[in-house]
Amino acid sequence: MLALVAALAGCGAGGGPADDPAGGGPGRPVRITITPSDGSVGVGPDGPLEVRVERGRLESVKVVRVRDARKEPVPGELSGDGRRWRPVDGVLALAAKYTVHAVASDGERRAARHASFTTVVPRERFIGYVTPENRATVGTGMIVSLEFNREIADRMAVERAVRVTADPEVPVAGHWFGRDRLDFRPERYWEPGTEVTVALGLRDVEGAPGVFGLQRKAFTFTVGRSQVSTVDAAAHTMRVVRAGEEPVTVPVTAGAPGSTTYNGRMVVTEMLDVTRMDGATVGYGGEYDIPDVPHAMRLTRSGTFLHGNYWAGDSVFGRSNVSHGCVGLRDVKGGGHATPAGWFYDRSLIGDVVEVVNSDDRTVAPDNGLGGWNLDWREWRAGSALG
């Protein structure tokens, strides 16, 4: 279902002719290689899992394994020359999702790479990869999303086997996107402080002829404070409304003509201190390849981010739209906590809502990231297999 290579962010923002998005200085950019490649599915238990850099050294490698919404760090070892990382235990877990985030430097330039892959599920079994994680604290716009490793033929049986409940109680409904994704949400954003429980009773449920569920698990997450941010692409501003505080408006730059930003409500699904953005992954050829974009928050699967921008001049923010579809906030190289981008990143949660208005583009599709809030309650309930 992924619409792009998720290791790479999908947009950058333009700058003046003196800008050097790759970081400046002579020589080739730092290149990080992750094996298995991003987006791989059905990876065997023997892997291998490895992170390499051609030159320079790996500054950090963070690998996380998620099974049944339970997140576990994967310990690893760095080679003596700092150019290769491998897990201590070379055997990969079955029916798991792995995410890898690596940062490297050659002394002059820094680069980051982010990748994910899933391991093989035993034959004749299906599982659902669950968002958010167990015991997470999330924003009020979080949508529970299950992505199945196989297409589901009996969607009614599978949906009936998944229960999403809230305390305080509120009606929650499911909505299918195709035959391999089932999302759940209430009619309106969750109330702060709500505890949500997701119970998977999928074990031995026949999701397709001869294919049975594997999971019987329950997990919970907590809804934190409310924060909803509205980006006005025409006014080049973002208004941040946070419960109990006065609204704050910060200048931004959005998508330029020809690469405009989607309108509509989007949900933060991933937060990265630094990431790489390569235009080649989303159809922009070699227009940009920025290895160290700071304070990056993913809003869609197709590559829309809200991120820090250090390469555009200060006069851009609040005055013009120059990006390739993302929303950019002023930042400094390496990311600064006192900048607008650093301030916003430090105050944000996965599950926060960012709504874009007055952009010369269509409304984001409800299955592009967690875009389900762009359907009204009647439309959402119509997507349930339970009627």
Side-chain angles (χ1 to χ4, degrees):
M1 292 180 61
L2 287 177
L4 75 160
V5 180
L8 304 180
C11 58
D19 294 325
D20 182 3
R28 297 167 293 143
V30 179
R31 298 292 183 187
I32 301 170
T33 302
I34 298 173
T35 306
S37 60
D38 180 65
S40 296
V41 296
V43 176
D46 54 350
L49 172 55
E50 183 178 77
V51 181
R52 283 183 174 271
V53 64
E54 295 177 7
R55 59 189 181 80
R57 294 180 62 89
L58 290 163
E59 288 186 0
S60 65
V61 177
K62 181 181 179 181
V63 179
V64 173
R65 176 178 61 232
V66 178
R67 286 185 293 183
D68 296 335
R70 284 166 169 78
K71 184 177 181 179
E72 305 168 296
V74 177
E77 295 178 333
L78 200 60
S79 62
D81 60 6
R83 294 187 177 181
R84 186 189 70 237
W85 180 98
R86 288 176 177 169
V88 173
D89 183 354
V91 178
L92 301 178
L94 297 177
K97 180 177 181 179
Y98 284 77
T99 60
V100 184
H101 189 64
V103 179
S105 172
D106 65 358
E108 294 182 349
R109 303 174 184 229
R110 296 178 78 225
R113 195 166 184 86
H114 186 71
S116 65
F117 63 90
T118 57
T119 54
V120 68
V121 178
R123 292 183 62 186
E124 300 180 348
R125 292 287 186 176
F126 74 88
I127 65 168
Y129 299 104
V130 187
T131 299
E133 297 163 1
N134 186 42
R135 299 181 180 177
T137 298
V138 301
T140 56
M142 175 53 66
I143 292 176
V144 176
S145 185
L146 286 85
E147 295 195 51
F148 299 100
N149 69 304
R150 298 174 184 268
E151 288 196 350
I152 302 299
D154 193 343
R155 292 186 292 181
M156 182 179 291
V158 169
E159 186 174 344
R160 189 180 290 119
V162 179
R163 294 187 68 242
V164 180
T165 56
D167 182 16
E169 187 175 352
V170 63
V172 179
H175 186 103
W176 285 89
F177 294 108
R179 293 191 173 272
D180 58 2
R181 176 175 166 186
L182 173 61
D183 287 8
F184 290 86
R185 48 157 270 212
E187 182 175 2
R188 299 176 181 84
Y189 300 146
W190 304 99
E191 287 294 326
T194 300
E195 184 173 276
V196 182
T197 299
V198 181
L200 305 179
L202 296 172
R203 185 173 297 172
D204 298 329
V205 172
E206 190 171 18
V211 180
F212 298 86
L214 187 64
Q215 297 156 298
R216 183 176 290 129
K217 299 281 186 181
F219 70 96
T220 62
F221 63 89
T222 302
V223 180
R225 84 291 173 273
S226 172
Q227 179 172 291
V228 177
S229 305
T230 303
V231 174
D232 187 326
H236 319 297
T237 60
M238 180 172 71
R239 187 172 188 263
V240 183
V241 178
R242 187 182 174 99
E245 299 181 11
E246 289 295 317
V248 175
T249 300
V250 295
V252 303
T253 182
S259 57
T260 48
T261 306
Y262 289 124
N263 285 295
R265 291 184 283 182
M266 293 166 261
V267 174
V268 175
T269 58
E270 187 175 28
M271 296 178 64
L272 302 167
D273 290 332
V274 59
T275 194
R276 177 185 174 196
M277 292 190 173
D278 184 352
T281 65
V282 286
Y284 285 111
E287 289 189 29
Y288 61 88
D289 185 358
I290 309 171
D292 57 352
V293 177
H295 296 135
M297 291 174 278
R298 180 182 288 275
L299 301 179
T300 70
R301 279 187 166 178
S302 59
T304 308
F305 277 72
L306 192 157
H307 62 77
N309 179 325
Y310 64 81
W311 52 91
D314 288 352
S315 61
V316 164
F317 303 97
R319 293 180 176 86
S320 58
N321 291 330
V322 299
S323 87
H324 288 81
C326 290
V327 178
L329 282 73
R330 184 174 58 79
D331 211 336
V332 295
K333 190 173 177 65
H337 291 287
T339 63
W343 173 86
F344 186 71
Y345 186 92
D346 290 344
R347 295 166 65 82
S348 296
L349 290 172
I350 287 176
D352 282 346
V353 177
V354 177
E355 182 173 6
V356 177
V357 298
N358 297 325
S359 178
D360 188 20
D361 206 326
R362 64 187 184 277
T363 299
V364 65
D367 62 345
N368 190 354
L370 300 181
W373 296 109
N374 295 291
L375 298 176
D376 65 29
W377 188 233
R378 180 187 58 81
E379 293 172 317
W380 182 264
R381 289 176 61 89
S384 169
L386 303 181

